[in-house]
Amino acid sequence: AVVMAGFAQALFVCFRHSKVPGWMTIPQCIMSLLRVSAHDTSSFGDYPNASLYVLAVLFWILFEVFSVIVMLNLLIAMMAKTQADLADHSIEVWRFEFARLVLMIEERLSAETRIRKRLGESETPNDPSSDFIITQEVM
């Protein structure tokens, strides 16, 4: 808002003596800048009528460049916030997916085998290689 007000003031000075409609007051200059930033080309014909033509075009170019820089900065900030939010929730999502995987595997087992596995017993009492216990240290 401060950048737009500053450029509106600068363009008001450039159009002050030319009496071009849409550029005669500072609020009109702000509205014209909003239209220009939305790529409304109807006010481009006003620039040759400015009392300080070269300066008006220079301010318009600078405004467009600063607008793009501010928008890119906003995009980068939004992407950084999204990445930070995802990083904050990644452990929670990982735990949920791990629990879902364990439950999916458990559902494939019979009820008797499921109970034995939860208790840590093997399929056959003398065969420790058949143990199917998922252990994972969770932070």
Side-chain angles (χ1 to χ4, degrees):
V2 174
V3 172
M4 183 163 290
F7 278 104
Q9 178 69 33
L11 286 171
F12 170 73
V13 169
C14 292
F15 282 96
R16 180 176 37 185
H17 299 295
S18 61
K19 305 293 184 207
V20 177
W23 298 96
M24 295 172 68
T25 65
I26 292 182
Q28 287 178 343
C29 289
I30 291 173
M31 290 306 295
S32 295
L33 276 179
L34 284 173
R35 283 195 325 265
V36 166
S37 63
H39 301 292
D40 179 13
T41 58
S42 62
S43 65
F44 288 151
D46 297 340
Y47 285 96
N49 299 329
S51 54
L52 301 170
Y53 169 71
V54 175
L55 207 53
V57 171
L58 178 69
F59 283 136
W60 173 75
I61 292 171
L62 286 175
F63 174 73
E64 289 295 322
V65 168
F66 282 141
S67 295
V68 169
I69 290 171
V70 168
M71 291 298 191
L72 285 175
N73 192 14
L74 180 65
L75 177 66
I76 290 168
M78 289 172 56
M79 290 171 56
K81 183 184 181 314
T82 302
Q83 193 276 334
D85 289 346
L86 289 174
D88 289 345
H89 297 294
S90 64
I91 298 288
E92 181 181 331
V93 170
W94 176 85
R95 287 180 183 164
F96 176 75
E97 290 297 323
F98 182 75
R100 189 175 63 83
L101 178 65
V102 169
L103 289 174
M104 184 180 69
I105 292 171
E106 280 187 351
E107 285 176 356
R108 293 182 180 173
L109 300 174
S110 67
E112 180 185 318
T113 307
R114 194 178 311 147
I115 292 171
R116 275 201 320 259
K117 298 299 179 184
R118 287 183 183 169
L119 294 174
E121 298 174 5
S122 62
E123 297 262 338
T124 59
N126 297 332
D127 185 15
S129 65
S130 65
D131 281 346
F132 183 70
I133 301 171
I134 296 177
T135 58
Q136 178 69 35
E137 186 176 321
V138 181
M139 296 179 188

